[in-house]
Amino acid sequence: MRLEVSCLDRIGLAKDILEVLETYGINLIAIDASNKGFLYLQFAEIGFETLSELMPLIRKVESVHDVRTVSFMPSEQERYALKTLLKTLPDSVFSINSKGRIRIVNESALLTLNMQEHEVIDESLNHWVQGFNFSRWLTEAPVLAQATRVQIGSNEYLAEMLPIYLPDENNASILAGAVVSLKSPARVGKQFNALQNQTTGFDNVLAVSDKMKDVLKQAKRMAQLDAPLLITGETGTGKELMAKASHDASMRREHPFIPINCAALPDSVAEEELFGFVANGQVIKRGLFEEAKGGTVFLDEIAEMSKAAQVKLLRLLQDGTFRRIGGDEEVRADVRIICSTQKNLAELCQSGEFREDLYYRIHVLSYHMPSLRERKVDVIPLTEMFLEHYSQQLSSPLRRISASCRDYLFTYAWPGNVRQLKNAIFRAVSMWDGSAELTVEQLKLPSYAEGFGYFDEEFEGSLDQAMKEYEASLLRRLYPAYPSTRQLAKKLGVSHTAIANKLRDYKITKKR
């Protein structure tokens, strides 16, 4: 039970109120005094009848204006606000007393130490943090804020120490302790880059494996060239990330980077979107190649581009000009073109699905993005990077990766590559259940076997049952389109008698 008493400030007011509580045998748990004319009282829950008698008596106390029940005390709000703030901070934070002993610790710090709260409270911070003597620092006169490099085990951190001073009765400062914040080198680097706005180009691309390092080396050299670039690779390998990095590392970085998904452009509007539109001699719409003047156009999934758009793109690559739809004027395009595809363009050229002459025009410079299966050394570093990123973004404590989860991440086939890994980590962080470790169950990855595809791990039953279920599902989907046993039998290459029997067995009938 909590009461808010609005009142005038006078000596003996609290004593008078306590005497009223004493008559009802109420023990005070906490009291907050505010210089804004409020007094807050906390005590054990009491019945409605007792409360109804108590509140009028408190109102009769001299200097009391009113009394009402409240949900929380100001000190409680401050305490829980501080607790929430500490909980959501990604950095490890310790509050120590004037002897260097831990008084408050946040969840990120406990994860860093791999300890429980009761194991660290009242213990010296120097038991775990080496490289700086906290107790000696707190004996200096005066104690000044500092920042230095420290170690926890084999890991290095930047420690920022801020002394806590409280005013005494004479308004002089009394040292009460300090707040210590630990930042990892990676976090310090990210904060510096964000401040300086320098995280561009290939700084965002993680490469630990030799295969990815080789690709990065090629990509950096090709970024300086102004010729067309083709990036190939499976879905989710990071082709657009590399295209953007190439633009940021080029001489065109001050100009626009415009990504275009060719698969999302309907044939009817593809030319208009890319090259613009003219009606009655007036430019109705400027195309994306004009919008990107001086910059880079990234054509994602170039294999999906319409045949008509392929012809116009070929001309643009040949002489650097194009014509808007409905216009006669030659427009010069000052852009670099980067393309990507997950398909084999050489095979598409042989089948006539992609222009062979265009293929040679876009295939001046090229490199292949390896799948995550081919760069498994990168899986755990990528996981840690995504964990840190989304933990900061979603204000969630940074978690460790459990040993079983590490093994699973390393052996999983990753058909969706880096995109699938990134999405799995985002889902796990956003649905955080308070656990200290990232587990296999939290990833919720579908079962997958390389060469066989996705499968149902929970399946129970025999092969015959599975075949019957598939057969029934197929017949239910096809029967509306082939609404007679003869038509359906012809479609599936069996006798109409067999089809009739199966429809009867599976209780599949025409909808009335």
Side-chain angles (χ1 to χ4, degrees), residues 228 230 302 306-318 339 345-346 348-350 352-364:
L230 176 64
I302 184 70
S306 69
K307 292 290 183 65
Q310 287 183 35
V311 173
K312 299 200 74 165
L313 178 60
L314 176 63
R315 182 158 183 252
L316 185 150
L317 288 166
Q318 285 174 333
C339 304
L345 289 183
L348 294 179
C349 289
Q350 292 179 352
E353 296 176 61
F354 195 81
R355 291 187 65 95
E356 189 172 359
D357 45 5
L358 177 59
Y359 171 63
Y360 294 125
R361 287 286 180 181
I362 64 175
H363 197 192
V364 179

Side-chain angles (χ1 to χ4, degrees), residues 335-352:
V335 294
R336 185 191 187 187
I337 294 175
I338 300 178
C339 304
S340 78
T341 183
Q342 57 179 303
K343 294 184 178 181
N344 189 321
L345 289 183
E347 289 183 0
L348 294 179
C349 289
Q350 292 179 352
S351 63

Side-chain angles (χ1 to χ4, degrees), residues 386-387 390-391 393-397 399 422-434 438 442:
F386 294 143
L387 259 180
Y390 288 124
S391 294
Q393 187 182 89
L394 301 173
S395 298
S396 176
R399 283 175 285 173
K422 187 176 182 180
N423 292 342
I425 299 302
F426 174 78
R427 180 172 55 247
V429 174
S430 63
M431 301 302 290
W432 181 58
D433 59 1
L438 178 70
Q442 291 166 349

Side-chain angles (χ1 to χ4, degrees), residues 51-245:
L51 181 64
S52 299
E53 295 176 12
L54 179 65
M55 291 178 70
L57 291 176
I58 295 177
R59 288 191 183 99
K60 290 180 181 179
V61 173
E62 182 185 350
S63 300
V64 171
H65 300 317
D66 195 14
V67 184
R68 69 186 185 99
T69 59
V70 290
S71 301
F72 49 81
M73 307 269 282
S75 59
E76 288 181 298
Q77 184 184 27
E78 291 174 6
R79 184 168 69 253
Y80 283 101
L82 176 62
K83 189 174 182 180
T84 302
L85 176 62
L86 289 174
K87 182 178 180 179
T88 56
L89 280 175
D91 298 326
S92 299
V93 179
F94 303 86
S95 176
I96 57 177
N97 64 17
S98 58
K99 302 295 183 183
R101 295 186 175 275
I102 299 169
R103 302 300 301 151
I104 301 173
V105 59
N106 73 342
E107 291 190 27
S108 291
L110 293 172
L111 290 173
T112 300
L113 299 180
N114 194 19
M115 305 288 284
Q116 298 296 318
E117 187 174 10
H118 70 272
E119 297 176 301
V120 300
I121 295 298
D122 289 329
E123 295 292 334
S124 172
L125 184 56
N126 279 121
H127 284 178
W128 296 279
V129 181
Q130 287 80 46
F132 184 81
N133 193 317
F134 296 98
S135 55
R136 183 185 301 167
W137 167 62
L138 289 165
T139 61
E140 296 175 359
V143 180
L144 302 175
Q146 290 202 32
T148 188
R149 183 181 297 178
V150 297
Q151 281 187 302
I152 297 179
S154 60
N155 298 318
E156 286 193 339
Y157 297 88
L158 173 66
E160 295 180 331
M161 287 80 72
L162 298 172
I164 302 172
Y165 284 104
L166 300 178
D168 63 9
E169 294 177 354
N170 300 317
N171 210 27
S173 295
I174 302 173
L175 180 69
V179 173
V180 180
S181 173
L182 304 183
K183 289 183 171 66
S184 67
R187 234 179 97 64
V188 173
K190 285 181 181 179
Q191 289 177 331
F192 177 78
N193 285 329
L195 184 64
Q196 299 294 323
N197 196 25
Q198 292 179 350
T199 309
T200 57
F202 295 96
D203 295 337
N204 289 319
V205 182
L206 186 147
V208 178
S209 63
D210 291 338
K211 183 164 284 193
M212 194 59 199
K213 284 180 179 177
D214 290 342
V215 170
L216 206 54
K217 186 177 179 180
Q218 290 182 62
K220 288 179 178 179
R221 294 179 63 184
M222 293 179 184
Q224 305 303 317
L225 306 173
D226 215 31
L229 169 64
L230 176 64
I231 306 173
T232 60
E234 294 180 11
T235 181
T237 49
K239 299 186 288 294
E240 183 170 348
L241 174 68
M242 293 296 283
K244 180 65 167 64

